[in-house]
Amino acid sequence: MADGERADELNELVENNDLTGIRLWLAEHRPYEIADELTRMADRDAIIPFRLLDKDRELEVFEELDPGQQQIVLSGLRDTAFHELLEEMDPDDRARLIGEAPAKVATRALAGLSPAERKMTAALLGYPEDSVGRYMTPETVILHRDLTVGRALEVVRAKGADAETIYTLPVVSDGRRLMGTVSLSDLVISDDETVLKDLVDVLAPRVRATEPVEDAARLIQEANLVSLPVVDSEERFVGLFTFDDALEVIEAADSEDMARQSGASPVAEHYVSVGVVRLVAARVVWLMLLIVAATLTVNVMQVFEDTLEAVTALAMFVPMLIGTGGNVGAQSATAIVRALAVGEVRVRDLPAVIWKEGRVGLLLGVVLAVLALGIGSLLVGFDVALVVSCSVIAVCTWAAIIGSSMPLLARKVGVDPAVVSSPMVATLVDATGLIIYFSIARVVLGI
């Protein structure tokens, strides 16, 4: 069934108050499909199907919702259902929900938790908002280095049901200091009498709980890990950062970068559920900044007004020139922002990046200049065409250098490189490209 038909069917069932039909619909669909449809529905309507979910599926669907939608669902539940749902959540998911919730909801949530769950949640909330500590799970099976494989498997069987994951098992020494990890598969295939300290991978990657969560997520991606051990400042094991949370972090970070590169503020909510005013607010500030920056282009045109009056044919190629320069700059900026995000380049690579992108821009300029020279010669004559082709080479080279260097310089001063978005680069290249264009015109044409 198509997505649109599926959503229309559920909406129709809710509108008709067909509770039996809703229950049948819910039974036929997966948790992530149900969560997606609830997100698309009006807030008051989404509560009805959620309340009709079986207890064993309620939590699965709830954890598929984004925090904003989770808060809406919680607000429609009675105290008993509210607290039961939060009690069953994974501690890391619960901590992020409470951390983003209004103070009234957060207080109500913490007050209803059992002492053990409240302690775990409070510990996670004690870490910085975008740190690994907020996303790790403390519900793990911890093995001591002196255990034999046989005894370790007994511990896994006894405690594994309460852990979020058992595929990667932390191995600690006295005082919970992390030695390394051992995989469940290694335990299964090893001799029962083997001691864990002879089996542990001491070189397994680990991260501090206060480190940025995006860096940890990228490490999981690059190292192909199932989970990543998290330690405190004294190398004591405190939790595991799992790959499913890492995927969510990377998706959110990439979505944020895409929004900033397009000249807008990121919107975390589901697009269908976001109001028009919220979307306008996310975009208008950047557009206001860009329109102010675009006045640079107007000022440049005024400065070179006499040049345009002398050779009016130059004006014909202004849109083509600034458009080409802006596109080249945007391509370079996008490539470098992406390379920074995945760790392919670092700030110290700035000279090498400028050297490479400068040559890329130069070669692109030469190719486009040949085309511009041919077209320009047919339209306005060889002299003006020569000015245009030389300008294309210079502007493309300059645009590639500007586009590639700005994200790295932004990172160096502690600004998100994605903030140096493609529209901002294009606007800057427009103004400076016109200066290059008219300066070359004056030299070549002797104006």
Side-chain angles (χ1 to χ4, degrees), residues 100-376:
E100 296 182 20
K104 185 177 180 180
V105 176
T107 302
R108 180 188 176 198
L110 285 171
L113 293 175
S114 64
E117 295 294 334
R118 187 186 307 121
K119 181 179 179 181
M120 276 194 292
T121 303
L124 296 180
L125 288 171
Y127 293 105
E129 184 175 352
D130 292 322
S131 67
V132 185
R134 279 286 183 98
Y135 289 77
M136 70 182 182
T137 175
E139 293 182 322
T140 61
V141 177
I142 304 173
L143 303 175
H144 195 275
R145 65 177 184 179
D146 293 332
L147 290 178
T148 62
V149 166
R151 177 56 183 151
L153 286 172
E154 292 178 6
V155 173
V156 172
R157 294 189 190 100
K159 300 181 178 180
D162 297 324
E164 185 171 330
T165 178
I166 58 173
Y167 299 110
T168 300
L169 299 162
V171 179
V172 299
S173 59
D174 296 337
R176 287 175 65 102
R177 284 183 168 77
L178 183 68
M179 278 190 65
T181 62
V182 63
S183 67
L184 179 62
S185 59
D186 286 340
L187 291 184
V188 172
I189 64 176
S190 297
D191 186 88
D192 284 351
E193 300 304 317
T194 303
V195 181
L196 289 189
K197 63 183 177 182
D198 298 328
L199 197 62
V200 62
D201 179 8
V202 295
L203 298 178
R206 64 188 70 183
V207 291
R208 293 281 178 91
T210 52
E211 290 183 22
V213 68
E214 185 178 346
D215 292 348
R218 298 290 181 191
L219 177 57
I220 283 183
Q221 183 183 43
E222 292 171 7
N224 296 318
L225 301 174
V226 174
S227 56
L228 187 63
V230 184
V231 297
D232 62 14
S233 58
E234 298 181 4
E235 291 296 311
R236 290 177 299 200
F237 176 78
V238 291
L240 285 174
F241 180 44
T242 55
F243 76 95
D244 54 332
D245 289 326
L247 288 176
E248 291 183 5
V249 169
I250 291 173
E251 181 182 359
D254 288 347
S255 297
E256 181 178 335
D257 287 348
M258 288 177 65
R260 294 195 185 281
Q261 288 175 49
S262 66
S265 298
V267 177
E269 297 87 359
H270 194 295
Y271 176 82
V272 174
S273 64
V274 178
V276 172
V277 175
R278 176 75 177 89
L279 290 176
V280 170
R283 300 176 188 180
V284 70
V285 174
W286 286 96
L287 292 175
M288 291 171 65
L289 290 173
L290 291 172
I291 201 170
V292 171
T295 58
L296 292 172
T297 302
V298 178
N299 291 334
V300 171
M301 295 287 284
Q302 289 178 335
V303 170
F304 290 97
E305 189 175 359
D306 57 337
T307 304
L308 280 173
E309 290 177 353
V311 184
T312 56
L314 291 173
M316 295 174 54
F317 296 93
V318 168
M320 179 273 289
L321 191 69
I322 63 176
T324 300
N327 289 336
V328 171
Q331 288 176 339
S332 294
T334 301
I336 299 306
V337 168
R338 179 61 181 165
L340 276 169
V342 299
E344 293 178 355
V345 298
R346 301 185 178 119
V347 174
R348 64 170 179 262
D349 297 322
L350 178 59
V353 168
I354 290 177
W355 173 237
K356 174 176 283 188
E357 286 294 324
R359 286 179 293 162
V360 170
L362 176 63
L363 290 175
L364 288 173
V366 169
V367 173
L368 297 175
V370 172
L371 183 61
L373 183 62
I375 296 174

